[in-house]
């Protein structure tokens, strides 16, 4: 059984609970699949932040990767970039309402990771040992 519904980019097809490439659920999973997307969204949860301060808040991210991530999040409507005139010019990044709507799922996933991370690492070690 399949069902097709319209979308801005074409059609979205659901076939017997299979997630096809153009499915909205896959879109959402893709947004969180990139490690840095969720980290940057979480780092922006309280207030607008300048690029350098954001980099300082996030351990292990390079300037290049942070810039790419911010652009990707802006492209997807999750982050807004605001430039201010002045000397020197100043740029801040903040979550949009759409970006804020991801905070609860990110927090839930983080709680799951905290509660089950040891089990996952044990499974990985067991798999590596037994393979």
């Amino acid at each position: 059984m399949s069902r097709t519904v319209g979308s801005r980019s074409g059609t979205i097809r659901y076939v017997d609970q299979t997630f096809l490439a153009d499915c909205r659920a896959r879109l959402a999973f893709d947004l969180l699949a990139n490690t840095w997307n969720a980290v940057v969204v979480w780092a922006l949860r309280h207030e607008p932040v300048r690029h350098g301060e954001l980099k300082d808040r996030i351990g292990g991210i390079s300037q290049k990767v942070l810039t790419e991530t911010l652009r990707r999040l802006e492209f997807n409507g999750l982050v807004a970039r605001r430039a201010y005139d002045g000397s020197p010019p100043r740029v801040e990044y903040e979550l949009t309402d759409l970006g804020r709507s991801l905070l609860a799922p990110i927090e839930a996933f983080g709680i799951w990771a905290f509660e089950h991370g040891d089990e996952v690492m044990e499974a990985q070690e067991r798999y590596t040992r037994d393979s």
Side-chain angles (χ1 to χ4, degrees):
M1 175 180 169
S2 72
R3 179 169 67 106
T4 303
V5 295
S7 77
R8 190 181 74 165
S9 63
T11 59
I12 298 169
R13 297 180 307 262
Y14 300 93
V15 181
D16 296 332
Q17 302 299 320
T18 301
F19 297 113
L20 301 176
D22 57 354
C23 171
R24 287 185 184 181
R26 291 269 307 259
L27 171 70
F29 294 138
D30 285 346
L31 285 173
L32 293 180
N34 180 292
T35 301
W36 297 113
N37 285 355
V39 172
V40 171
V41 167
W42 192 253
L44 288 169
R45 71 189 180 281
H46 294 301
E47 66 212 355
V49 179
R50 294 175 73 170
H51 191 280
E53 182 182 348
L54 192 54
K55 185 178 179 310
D56 291 344
R57 287 185 183 184
I58 302 171
I61 192 168
S62 70
Q63 185 164 335
K64 177 183 180 222
V65 170
L66 178 56
T67 299
E68 291 169 352
T69 303
L70 287 165
R71 287 181 182 158
R72 184 173 46 252
L73 294 172
E74 187 177 8
F75 171 78
N76 284 292
L78 304 175
V79 168
R81 180 185 186 273
R82 182 172 294 148
Y84 296 93
D85 290 333
S87 182
R90 183 172 56 111
V91 175
E92 290 183 338
Y93 297 89
E94 65 182 322
L95 293 179
T96 62
D97 289 340
L98 183 60
R100 291 199 166 288
S101 72
L102 267 180
L103 292 174
I106 291 170
E107 182 175 26
F109 197 67
I111 290 168
W112 181 90
F114 180 79
E115 292 175 353
H116 300 285
D118 289 341
E119 295 170 67
V120 171
M121 288 189 290
E122 288 169 8
Q124 291 171 349
E125 290 172 8
R126 193 170 42 254
Y127 180 88
T128 301
R129 183 183 63 244
D130 295 345
S131 291

